Amino acid sequence: MKNIFTALVAGAALMAASGAVAQEIRIGIAQEPSSIDPHFHNLGPNNGFLSHIYERMVEQDSKQRLRPGLAVSWKPISETVWEFKLRKGVKWHDGSPFTADDVVFTAERAVNVPNSPSSFGTYLKGKTFTKIDDYTVHVSTPKPYPLMVTEMSTIMIISKKNAQGAQTKDFNLGPAAIGTGPYKFVKWQKGDVIEFARNDDYWGGRPKWSKVILKPISSAPTRVAALLAGDVDMIDGVPTADIETLKGNPKVKLSQGISNRVIYLHLDQKRDNSPFVTDKNGNPMDKNPLKDVRVRKAISKLINRPAIVEKVMEGIAIPAGQLVSETFFGNTPNLKPEAFDPAAAKKLLGEAGWGDGFGLTIHGPNNRYINDAKIAEAIAQMLTRGGIVTKVVTMPKNVYFKRASRGGPENSPEFSFILVGWGSGTGEASSPLKSLLTTYDKSKGHGASNRGRHSNPKMDALVVQALATVDDAKRKTLLQKATEVGIGEDQGIIPLHYQVNTWATRPGLRYDARTDERTLAMDIKVVK
Amino acid sequence: MSVAMNEGSAPGAAAVRDETPLRRFISDFCESKIAIAGVLGVLLIAIIAIFAPWLSPTNPYDLATVDIMDSRLSPGKQMMSGVTAFLGTDGMGRDMLSAMFYGLRISLGVGVASGFVALCIGVCVGLAAAYFGGRVDMLIMRVVDLQLSFPAILIALILLATLGKGVDKIVIALIVVQWAYFARTVRATAMVERHKEYIEAATCLALSHRRIVFRHLLPNCLPPLIVVGTVQVASAIALEATLSFLGIGLPVTEPSLGLLISNGFEYMLSGKYWISIYPGLALLFTIVSINLVGDRLRDVLNPRLQR
Amino acid sequence: MSVFIIRRLLQSIVVIWVMSLLVFGGVYLIGDPIDMLINPEADQEDIEAAIRALGLDKPIHEQYWYFLANALKGDLGKSFIFSEPALQLILARAPATMELAIVASLMSIMLGIPLGMWAGLKPDSIAGKSIMTGSILGFSLPSFWVGILFIMLFAVMLGVLPAGGRGPTTEFLGLQVSFLSAKGLSHILLPAVNLALFKLSLVIRLSRAGTQEVIHQDYIKFARAKGLSERRIILVHVLKNILIPVVTVIGLEFGSVIAFAVVTETVFAWPGMGKLIIESIDQLDRPVIVAYLMIIVFMFIVINLLVDILYSILDPRVRLQDIRA
């Protein structure tokens, strides 16, 4: 009897599979996740691709605005406690119901993953989770904490029943990889393929694709070729060099969207004898012109941002004047991208006593951001023409970032003038302000990525105040003010442009571009 | 018999007519037309490499004149400075022709310098191993094994990651990865030669070590050495290109041919063929010319090829 | 013979130990993995916690002893990125790379020796010259460039072969292989040819050089005088003698085929060890880099030993005492 039943089920599955071939979607991806364990590694591709399997209490939409996920509503019930009401009727992939126990379990487990190279403790530390009833959770913090909801949008919830005592490998092999998301985990062959199958009982309605196949193809031209050859239906990370031709190709449809990533320059504002600031002939100096705000402003004015966007980025970027673009929380309308103005720059340099110019070396990565090495070279061209003789040194990211952060004596930043990028994972301005512009202070966790060591107590105070203000409108004003001081007045960093990401699909499909650079099968639509 | 023949193994020593060895060598060499083409090619490359600054329409390394606004012009268009870019411009606005001339200079310099130093080191070490045998051989060959057990590309990767970028650094890296090939080849051949009668005869005559090794052993190791040598100069240039493709190697502002190709790599599917194809063809021409000459040299120098 | 092998084995152990020191030191010098691993939004406290979690706060000699002690137990460390034993990660990828390397090596030998002999026997014919010119082209261009040209031509323009990736695998002698199905073959063809090109040229050149030397030797003249058929002379006497350098080179080069698979695998998205190592270097996954290099060293020492033994069988003039010395 049991055998007959198994055979019937198998037969039905076969039929379903053959009928569903057309609903299969194959995606060529630039970067593979490092784990199926959602709490092992706080890394872009993991947070993106695992969203097929797991869900969070609060989700970010394609513009990184917050929307309900596994929680239907939330509110602060006191200065330090937030209440989250959970969605009812949600089932795990194994059929068991989702409750507050799972949330509390997740919060305990996510901070204690053995060997985690980048822990979610970043978002969870100092928070206490309490189950009130099956569908209510309270989260409390010692101090008022306005980023509570934003940070809840980073933690993927796992099933207590299936994941209790589970290790990372239990997720990678499948048994613990049970979520509530629209797709179920099928298999992961590292470097080769990741496969998801449709979750027919998904609370948000039956997902479109019966099967999602992710193919990691790290080389960009190969990825484009795979799409053109029909090996995959969609690719992410379309290189800017190919966009012009792909636009004219009837076999391809492009989707583009601004990302949360700003490309900018850090300038050494701490050392008097900065190692890569020299006189015009390359001799070391004991005076550092980058400490003078007029020089920093002049450098910003010497950079022709529209030219970089048009010529280096082939039109696929947007000139930037601050840390986050217009749709993001904390963007200030008062800061526009600095206009290209060599005459004004010359005047500023003259006023600062550097009318004869000086020498600089710009350091940058060559495999981290879109066209990073070329941007560095274009900037060197522009500054050299403006009298600041600039050399270019680029290196692979694995060598670059250590030296840029801690390559100098006593773990100080090694370089004087660097090209970097920042993607705001939380989707608002406090993250870059706190990491890039506040005074470097280990004990407070401030300025962790402040590689130019910019420091202005006035701005620090504004950021600290913003991070303790729960009221959204007030916090927004504080963040805008902090940005206006840090960039507008001080030119603590020089923003260049916001990256624009491009996806390409075969005709008949459309991808709704996301600012967080994620590639999600849920967002692929069929169009006529 | 063998002794006599090999004693006269210097090119053209078996002069039958009233020719000097050099003239005999030249006339032998010139029997092949394609080899002459190769020599002309190498000469042309050498001239371009040496005189690049005077031959190029623009200086592609001068950041004050290279203009981003000129980027990706198709061949024949005029640049902002008024100079016509006959082969187009690359993604940074460099005139392709000038960039290729300068790039050739760097590629060739890197390939020849590293190949030559590696050959000298490899030959000395390999001959010493084969001739002295015993502990010397054991020690040397274990070091060679050690060296060869590391894939060339990975040593170069690690070396350059620690050394940093620059022409001098890539030459060092290429020497380090190449010398062992020469050593291994020379030793393998010399091992066989060592047991031949002419070496035994030379030893009986109580000739000095140096004389036996360099006058007798070395000339007989030349044919495989030339094969490996030409392959190595070619592969040095290609390896440099591959390292540039992987993002380490030369500084971006002073591209070699290899780096120009890898910069153009991303434009391969975009229809802007000139950015990658022309440096590719220049590289092809360079390596083919070197190899044609190497091939012919080998044929002519080989003492056992009786004609 | 057995004394020779035992001595070589002992030497090999020393070599492996020295390599482990160099590899560990070299990898340590490259950079700091923490910058590659940590989320940029982490603050200083999180970074220090991660450094401790991965054992990177210990001094290098301590990390090395820890590595060595575990390596003796067969544990080459745990990947920072995947949190799985590095050895296991690499071995899971090994069949794909081996398959590619073996197919490429076979291609280069099967095509290279006949072509090289042909060019050597008839050096002045059009075919002979074309073969030599072709062999020059073979190693003239960087393989990544040739690879993308292949993809452009066969996958995008002609649409006859897939652009990359590995085909479906089937089990063969307990290993997952892909060359047994038509689809798998279509996937392996382009990368294998791409990888084989360089070695093919090398084999052609060596075979030709060898052939030309051998046919002028006295014993060949003697064989001709004895009235042996030309076919027998070529197949037995010439072939046997040119096999020596070719076997040496292909043996020595097998390690480098696997290393160069790094580039081919990256271009063709082939899920082998090469792609893993490039990604590991990219993200500074030290345990995987060290384990990979140690495996390559180990493999190479075994190959070297085998080549030396084969050598003595193929060319009796080289006695094992010489090699042992």
Side-chain angles (χ1 to χ4, degrees):
Chain A
M1 189 62 206
K2 201 181 167 194
N3 284 341
I4 296 168
F5 179 71
T6 320
L8 274 175
V9 170
L14 256 177
M15 276 164 66
S18 59
V21 172
Q23 291 171 317
E24 197 179 290
I25 184 114
R26 298 157 304 164
I27 310 174
I29 58 174
Q31 216 191 336
E32 190 181 13
S34 65
S35 180
I36 302 299
D37 179 345
H39 308 133
F40 173 66
H41 199 175
N42 180 12
L43 186 78
N46 293 33
N47 297 341
F49 295 116
L50 298 185
S51 305
H52 290 96
I53 310 174
Y54 315 98
E55 292 181 295
R56 306 158 177 93
M57 283 206 286
V58 183
E59 297 284 350
Q60 298 184 358
D61 68 7
S62 64
K63 298 273 175 287
Q64 284 183 274
R65 286 171 305 217
L66 303 176
R67 63 170 173 81
L70 287 175
V72 285
S73 65
W74 50 83
K75 60 171 192 274
I77 52 171
S78 77
E79 276 274 277
T80 57
V81 180
W82 285 75
E83 180 178 273
F84 290 85
K85 286 281 184 195
L86 303 182
R87 196 177 289 278
K88 291 176 184 163
V90 175
K91 285 203 164 58
W92 294 100
H93 292 159
D94 68 346
S96 55
F98 158 74
T99 67
D101 289 325
D102 298 311
V103 174
V104 175
F105 167 73
T106 297
E108 283 163 11
R109 196 256 169 187
V111 291
N112 287 318
V113 181
N115 300 325
S116 167
S118 182
S119 166
F120 280 87
T122 308
Y123 305 119
L124 285 172
K125 60 186 168 197
K127 299 190 177 72
T128 314
F129 285 66
T130 322
K131 173 184 171 182
I132 303 302
D133 61 44
D134 268 359
Y135 296 99
T136 311
V137 173
H138 283 180
V139 186
S140 55
T141 48
K143 276 188 273 179
Y145 202 73
L147 290 178
M148 175 65 77
V149 185
T150 309
E151 294 192 345
M152 285 305 112
S153 72
T154 60
I155 309 292
M156 286 178 257
I157 308 294
I158 52 171
S159 146
K160 182 177 183 183
K161 181 186 151 204
N162 293 289
Q164 195 136 39
Q167 294 181 333
T168 297
K169 74 166 194 282
D170 300 313
F171 285 88
N172 292 348
L173 294 172
I178 301 294
T180 57
Y183 293 94
K184 297 177 185 176
F185 174 70
V186 178
K187 67 168 177 184
W188 178 30
Q189 278 168 7
K190 289 187 197 75
D192 194 5
V193 69
I194 300 172
E195 211 176 295
F196 301 131
R198 172 158 57 206
N199 172 13
D200 285 309
D201 298 327
Y202 183 55
W203 60 267
R206 190 162 171 261
K208 169 78 203 143
W209 308 103
S210 62
K211 208 170 167 192
V212 177
I213 294 169
L214 304 176
K215 284 258 173 202
I217 309 176
S218 50
S219 154
T222 313
R223 204 158 57 243
V224 174
L227 178 72
L228 293 176
D231 294 356
V232 294
D233 302 309
M234 177 169 123
I235 57 169
D236 61 12
V238 179
T240 56
D242 292 328
I243 285 173
E244 201 184 314
T245 348
L246 290 180
K247 267 186 184 155
N249 189 332
K251 282 161 74 184
V252 177
K253 287 270 169 292
L254 296 178
S255 314
Q256 290 181 330
I258 191 168
S259 77
N260 60 12
R261 195 176 297 283
V262 61
I263 304 295
Y264 64 92
L265 303 167
H266 262 315
L267 315 97
D268 184 357
Q269 293 156 49
K270 186 164 190 220
R271 288 170 288 192
D272 277 321
N273 52 347
S274 199
F276 296 96
V277 182
T278 60
D279 68 9
K280 267 197 121 150
N281 303 317
N283 302 314
M285 292 195 298
D286 49 11
K287 211 168 159 211
N288 178 3
L290 300 180
K291 289 181 86 167
D292 189 324
V293 64
R294 290 169 294 189
V295 175
R296 300 201 293 271
K297 289 257 175 228
I299 290 176
S300 186
K301 284 180 192 300
L302 280 174
I303 295 169
N304 187 347
R305 291 176 179 76
I308 292 179
V309 167
E310 188 198 337
K311 293 296 177 178
V312 179
M313 308 300 290
E314 315 220 7
I316 319 300
I318 292 166
Q322 52 188 301
L323 297 162
V324 289
S325 69
E326 277 150 37
T327 56
F328 288 88
F329 187 87
N331 172 284
T332 163
N334 302 331
L335 278 182
K336 297 281 174 249
E338 190 83 55
F340 175 54
D341 191 348
K346 203 169 174 62
K347 194 163 155 259
L348 276 172
L349 282 176
E351 281 168 22
W354 296 97
D356 290 340
F358 54 93
L360 259 186
T361 301
I362 181 168
H363 287 85
N366 58 16
N367 57 356
R368 176 64 189 87
Y369 311 109
I370 302 175
N371 298 338
D372 39 18
K374 287 194 204 165
I375 302 167
E377 207 185 330
I379 285 167
Q381 284 180 11
M382 291 164 182
L383 297 189
T384 304
R385 266 198 297 277
I388 303 172
V389 180
T390 307
K391 283 189 234 147
V392 186
V393 178
T394 61
M395 54 193 89
K397 61 183 179 193
N398 57 9
V399 181
Y400 174 74
F401 281 101
K402 178 196 182 179
R403 294 177 62 184
S405 305
R406 297 188 302 285
E410 289 164 24
N411 288 336
S412 64
E414 178 179 350
F415 308 132
S416 303
F417 184 49
I418 64 169
L419 176 104
V420 217
W422 183 269
S424 176
T426 52
E428 42 81 66
S430 78
S431 116
L433 279 171
K434 181 179 156 201
S435 292
L436 307 181
L437 283 167
T438 54
T439 307
Y440 182 84
D441 186 339
K442 217 167 160 176
S443 62
K444 291 184 197 150
H446 281 181
S449 297
N450 184 352
R451 299 182 178 109
R453 296 288 189 262
H454 169 74
S455 171
N456 181 347
K458 186 175 149 200
M459 205 215 70
D460 293 354
L462 285 166
V463 175
V464 170
Q465 200 188 340
L467 286 174
T469 307
V470 179
D471 183 284
D472 278 355
K474 280 187 200 151
R475 189 166 82 253
K476 190 170 174 179
T477 318
L478 286 166
L479 291 176
Q480 287 174 335
K481 264 195 206 149
T483 308
E484 282 158 26
V485 173
I487 294 178
E489 289 174 23
D490 283 357
Q491 202 74 60
I493 62 168
I494 300 178
L496 297 173
H497 57 256
Y498 305 115
Q499 265 183 210
V500 169
N501 290 315
T502 310
W503 288 260
T505 61
R506 61 172 168 81
L509 297 178
R510 197 189 72 216
Y511 188 69
D512 293 332
R514 294 181 63 95
T515 54
D516 56 12
E517 308 179 341
R518 288 177 188 169
T519 303
L520 302 177
M522 293 78 91
D523 290 350
I524 306 171
K525 306 270 176 351
V526 177
V527 289
K528 292 273 149 43
Chain B
M1 181 209 79
S2 167
V3 177
M5 193 181 91
N6 284 292
E7 271 284 61
S9 66
V16 275
R17 283 155 283 166
D18 53 344
E19 282 179 324
T20 65
L22 184 68
R23 280 175 64 185
R24 164 73 195 272
F25 167 73
I26 292 173
S27 72
D28 268 5
F29 188 92
C30 293
E31 268 171 38
S32 163
K33 288 204 183 69
I34 194 156
I36 299 175
V39 173
L40 292 179
V42 170
L43 281 178
L44 179 68
I45 292 161
I47 289 171
I48 292 177
I50 295 166
F51 297 104
W54 293 276
L55 292 171
S56 308
T58 64
N59 178 357
Y61 296 166
D62 182 3
L63 286 178
T65 60
V66 176
D67 195 329
I68 187 79
M69 299 311 285
D70 284 332
S71 66
R72 303 187 306 278
L73 294 177
S74 56
K77 289 253 178 69
Q78 206 175 48
M79 296 189 291
M80 306 276 273
S81 55
V83 181
T84 308
F86 290 105
L87 297 182
T89 59
D90 72 359
M92 289 321 299
R94 277 184 287 258
D95 172 39
M96 281 312 293
L97 187 68
S98 313
M100 278 162 57
F101 283 178
Y102 274 79
L104 187 65
R105 190 183 165 99
I106 293 181
S107 287
L108 207 65
V110 165
V112 171
S114 65
F116 182 74
V117 177
L119 183 129
C120 293
I121 298 174
V123 164
C124 294
V125 170
L127 284 178
Y131 187 77
F132 293 108
R135 288 192 184 281
V136 178
D137 184 33
M138 187 192 89
L139 193 72
I140 290 175
M141 288 326 285
R142 286 301 78 83
V143 174
V144 168
D145 281 355
L146 199 72
Q147 166 77 57
L148 287 177
S149 58
F150 252 147
I153 195 160
L154 291 179
I155 311 179
L157 221 64
I158 289 175
L159 266 175
L160 287 173
T162 47
L163 292 174
K165 283 190 174 191
V167 176
D168 48 338
K169 281 150 191 153
I170 201 154
V171 170
I172 294 174
L174 289 174
I175 292 170
V176 171
V177 301
Q178 288 186 92
W179 72 272
Y181 287 94
F182 291 105
R184 177 100 199 181
T185 312
V186 170
R187 179 196 177 259
T189 325
M191 216 69 211
V192 175
E193 294 293 327
R194 196 163 84 102
H195 294 285
K196 292 210 173 141
E197 298 90 333
Y198 70 96
I199 297 290
E200 276 162 27
T203 317
C204 289
L205 288 172
L207 299 178
S208 72
H209 285 326
R210 220 173 86 184
R211 191 175 158 83
I212 295 175
V213 169
F214 286 102
R215 295 279 304 193
H216 302 273
L217 210 45
L218 180 59
N220 285 289
C221 296
L222 271 181
L225 207 55
I226 291 173
V227 180
V228 175
T230 50
V231 169
Q232 285 303 328
V233 170
S235 77
I237 296 178
L239 184 60
E240 181 263 306
T242 306
L243 291 169
S244 301
F245 169 68
L246 295 172
I248 50 179
L250 295 171
V252 277
T253 43
E254 298 182 2
S256 64
L257 279 184
L259 191 55
L260 283 174
I261 297 177
S262 17
N263 286 346
F265 179 66
E266 56 186 304
Y267 292 101
M268 292 282 280
L269 292 168
S270 71
K272 298 182 184 73
Y273 62 93
W274 62 90
I275 302 178
S276 190
I277 297 286
Y278 288 144
L281 292 177
L283 186 63
L284 192 67
F285 180 76
T286 307
I287 297 174
V288 168
S289 301
I290 297 173
N291 281 323
L292 286 175
V293 174
D295 265 17
R296 191 63 195 160
L297 280 177
R298 185 197 53 197
D299 287 354
V300 175
L301 289 179
N302 192 333
R304 265 157 292 181
L305 280 184
Q306 301 294 314
R307 24 187 89 244
Chain C
M1 185 81 177
S2 59
V3 176
F4 157 67
I5 291 175
I6 290 169
R7 274 182 80 160
R8 276 300 294 267
L9 282 177
L10 285 176
Q11 288 167 4
S12 301
I13 291 171
V14 175
V15 169
I16 289 176
W17 174 68
V18 173
M19 280 325 274
S20 78
L21 262 178
L22 291 178
V23 165
F24 207 86
V27 170
Y28 189 87
L29 279 173
I30 294 182
D32 193 334
I34 209 68
D35 294 286
M36 290 296 98
L37 296 167
I38 199 94
N39 188 294
E41 293 192 335
D43 61 24
Q44 290 93 328
E45 187 192 332
D46 301 329
I47 295 174
E48 278 177 8
I51 288 175
R52 275 194 305 276
L54 298 174
L56 294 171
D57 51 338
K58 308 227 164 58
I60 179 172
H61 59 88
E62 219 171 286
Q63 290 185 40
Y64 177 73
W65 284 122
Y66 187 72
F67 162 77
L68 202 63
N70 281 324
L72 291 176
K73 288 182 255 161
D75 171 11
L76 291 177
K78 225 175 183 186
S79 158
F80 294 158
I81 310 257
F82 298 106
S83 191
E84 279 177 32
L87 195 62
Q88 196 181 315
L89 267 177
I90 295 166
L91 291 182
R93 300 278 198 103
T97 297
M98 290 298 170
E99 181 177 70
L100 190 63
I102 289 171
V103 171
S105 292
L106 285 179
M107 269 182 188
S108 55
I109 293 177
M110 310 268 243
L111 283 172
I113 291 181
L115 287 175
M117 283 173 69
W118 190 358
L121 292 169
K122 300 208 161 38
D124 297 320
S125 68
I126 294 177
K129 283 181 177 161
S130 314
I131 290 170
M132 288 318 287
T133 315
S135 82
I136 290 173
L137 292 183
F139 52 67
S140 290
L141 284 172
S143 62
F144 67 89
W145 199 70
V146 179
I148 194 75
L149 276 181
F150 276 0
I151 293 178
M152 216 164 86
L153 188 63
F154 293 103
V156 179
M157 288 163 79
L158 299 176
V160 285
L161 290 169
R166 194 179 183 209
T169 54
T170 41
E171 193 161 307
F172 176 69
L173 300 177
L175 290 171
Q176 291 292 320
V177 297
S178 75
F179 64 87
L180 292 175
S181 65
K183 189 152 187 252
L185 269 181
S186 75
H187 274 92
I188 203 172
L189 196 62
L190 285 185
V193 171
N194 184 225
L195 190 56
L197 272 186
F198 188 87
K199 301 304 160 209
L200 176 65
S201 307
L202 202 58
V203 172
I204 288 180
R205 298 175 80 80
L206 286 164
S207 312
R208 176 184 182 259
T211 307
Q212 286 196 322
E213 253 176 57
V214 168
I215 52 173
H216 293 293
Q217 299 262 323
D218 296 337
Y219 66 89
I220 297 288
K221 289 176 188 161
F222 186 65
R224 283 215 176 95
K226 233 168 69 177
L228 289 182
S229 76
E230 195 67 12
R231 210 178 112 176
R232 192 177 153 78
I233 292 172
I234 291 169
L235 286 185
V236 176
H237 296 281
V238 178
L239 189 62
K240 192 181 169 196
N241 279 284
I242 63 169
L243 273 179
I244 302 163
V246 173
V247 165
T248 318
V249 169
I250 288 299
L252 285 171
E253 294 281 309
F254 191 73
S256 97
V257 171
I258 286 174
F260 263 93
V262 167
V263 177
T264 303
E265 287 178 9
T266 307
V267 172
F268 287 93
W270 186 265
M273 317 191 303
K275 201 168 163 237
L276 176 70
I277 186 68
I278 271 292
E279 280 159 12
S280 301
I281 290 178
D282 230 32
Q283 298 176 307
L284 285 182
D285 196 349
R286 275 189 204 156
V288 179
I289 305 175
V290 171
Y292 173 86
L293 292 177
M294 291 317 296
I295 290 173
I296 292 272
V297 169
F298 184 76
M299 195 178 67
F300 205 92
I301 282 168
V302 172
I303 291 172
N304 251 346
L305 191 63
L306 291 179
V307 166
D308 278 345
I309 293 170
L310 267 180
Y311 221 70
S312 69
I313 297 167
L314 288 169
D315 188 349
R317 286 173 298 177
V318 179
R319 287 174 296 267
L320 282 177
Q321 286 85 334
D322 286 330
I323 299 170
R324 187 198 62 196

